[in-house]
Amino acid sequence: GVAEGKPEPKSTKGIAVAIVTGASSGLGAEFALQIDAGAWDVDEIWLLARRKDALESVARKLVRTKGVAIEVDLEKPNALQ
């Protein structure tokens, strides 16, 4: 499933999370799909990139793992605040 917005820090208590930057295409998207296919045992994959629509498309392809699409430009100072 797809979740939107910034995840609450308290939501990670007791769950395993993979964070993938550049997840909207290319190697980042493929890495997220490989994690979902069983490369790692995680409960959620946080998908970070600048293009929200592309992130949501990748998140919809996840079968085993909840995808959290987070639109962010990591080149900007304080982007994660």
Side-chain angles (χ1 to χ4, degrees), residues 2-5 22-25 29 47-61 67-72:
V2 179
E4 295 185 27
S24 60
S25 65
L47 307 164
L48 282 67
R50 292 177 291 204
R51 297 184 352 231
K52 182 83 169 190
D53 59 333
L55 284 173
E56 290 172 345
S57 175
V58 172
R60 282 191 295 274
K61 293 177 184 176
V68 180
I70 303 169
E71 182 178 26
V72 63

Side-chain angles (χ1 to χ4, degrees), residues 35-36 61:
I35 293 170
D36 181 59
K61 293 177 184 176

Side-chain angles (χ1 to χ4, degrees), residues 11-29:
S11 71
T12 62
K13 189 173 184 175
I15 65 170
V17 175
I19 299 173
V20 180
T21 60
S24 60
S25 65
L27 290 174

